[in-house]
Amino acid sequence: DADVTQTPRNRITKTGKRIMLECSQTKGHDRMYWYRQDPGLGLRLIYYSFDVKDINKGEISDGYSVSRQAQAKFSLSLESAIPNQTALYFCATSPGSGGWETQYFGPGTRLLVL
Amino acid sequence: DQQVKQNSPSLSVQEGRISILNCDYTNSMFDYFLWYKKYPAEGPTFLISISSIKDKNEDGRFTVFLNKSAKHLSLHIVPSQPGDSAVYFCAASEKDNDMRFGAGTRLTVKP
């Protein structure tokens, strides 16, 4: 079983709809992250959480919100989707031991907003 | 404002030869650097890292070099294999801060 799972893997939605992407992990890591990948721009951080009560904005948080329901779950919401939110979204985790950390990524969710 | 730049979108090399992927950064506070590898329909997977106290780190066929004065790092793959064909992302972070990624370089290793 994968350590970091994302649901759904693919989603098509319409402009203005609310959508939630979910991430679960079995690695026991404290820290979780949401990124989006766009061609030519690499991965950009949307939000991150260092523990259940901690939420932090990343580089591009506008238009997104997150919820850390439990140590193992971190969901990303688009309250009113727009076409330029069409992208590949990745969830990642890291141990939370502090200092330099390696992040471990889920398989991604491909989102198309029409 | 991209703090981590991979200026070559693609690279093609022959099997058995050396692959050299390059990365430049602008933030002098970065002190930890990583390379990730990504296959289609999968998430990025960690490949190798280096801290700013070193200038070289080696793991099998993969070696990362860091030149702090030039704010440049490179990944060497020797010998290159067809299975190495993937997109490679360079990433950098300050301790306990968020990580910044480059745009990626697509490596193709031809048999």
Side-chain angles (χ1 to χ4, degrees), chain B residues 3 7-8 25 34-35 46 54 66 73 78-79 91:
Chain B
Q3 297 184 38
N7 292 319
S8 297
Y25 61 95
L34 309 91
W35 285 94
F46 170 72
K54 293 186 175 183
L66 176 62
L73 67 155
V78 184

Side-chain angles (χ1 to χ4, degrees), chain B residues 7 9 12 18 20 33 35 40-41 44 47 49 63 76 92-93 96 99:
Chain B
N7 292 319
S12 181
I18 185 171
I20 300 176
F33 304 89
W35 285 94
L47 187 58
S49 64
T63 303
H76 292 209
S93 70
D96 264 3
M99 193 173 295

Side-chain angles (χ1 to χ4, degrees), chain B residues 26-99:
Chain B
T26 58
N27 186 345
S28 58
M29 299 302 292
F30 287 145
D31 55 9
Y32 188 51
F33 304 89
L34 309 91
W35 285 94
Y36 282 84
K37 176 178 178 179
K38 184 184 180 302
Y39 292 118
E42 296 181 11
T45 56
F46 170 72
L47 187 58
I48 192 169
S49 64
I50 188 168
S51 70
S52 57
I53 59 175
K54 293 186 175 183
D55 55 18
K56 177 182 174 181
N57 188 27
E58 202 169 344
D59 183 3
R61 296 186 297 114
F62 302 91
T63 303
V64 55
F65 295 92
L66 176 62
N67 182 333
K68 290 187 291 292
S69 60
K71 295 191 181 71
H72 177 83
L73 67 155
S74 61
L75 174 68
H76 292 209
I77 306 173
V78 184
S80 301
Q81 299 174 354
D84 296 328
S85 297
V87 176
Y88 290 79
F89 290 100
C90 170
S93 70
E94 300 174 51
K95 196 176 294 187
D96 264 3
N97 277 286
D98 58 290
M99 193 173 295

Side-chain angles (χ1 to χ4, degrees), chain A residues 28-43:
Chain A
H29 287 172
D30 285 330
R31 300 182 178 184
M32 298 186 75
Y33 310 80
W34 275 104
Y35 290 89
R36 65 178 278 177
Q37 184 190 356
D38 298 277
L41 293 176
L43 285 84

Side-chain angles (χ1 to χ4, degrees), chain A residues 12-52:
Chain A
I12 301 173
T13 192
K14 294 183 179 179
T15 297
K17 293 289 187 181
R18 184 179 188 276
I19 182 171
M20 180 181 289
L21 309 183
E22 302 200 22
C23 176
S24 295
Q25 54 114 346
T26 59
K27 297 183 78 67
H29 287 172
D30 285 330
R31 300 182 178 184
M32 298 186 75
Y33 310 80
W34 275 104
Y35 290 89
R36 65 178 278 177
Q37 184 190 356
D38 298 277
L41 293 176
L43 285 84
R44 292 181 293 165
L45 183 64
I46 306 171
Y47 270 97
Y48 61 103
S49 169
F50 280 4
D51 65 40
V52 175

Side-chain angles (χ1 to χ4, degrees), chain A residues 45-76:
Chain A
L45 183 64
I46 306 171
Y47 270 97
Y48 61 103
S49 169
F50 280 4
D51 65 40
V52 175
K53 296 178 182 174
D54 178 72
I55 299 291
N56 304 283
K57 292 184 178 181
E59 193 181 349
I60 51 161
S61 59
D62 287 349
Y64 301 95
S65 62
V66 291
S67 174
R68 183 82 184 268
Q69 304 94 320
Q71 188 207 33
K73 295 185 184 296
F74 192 36
S75 59
L76 175 72

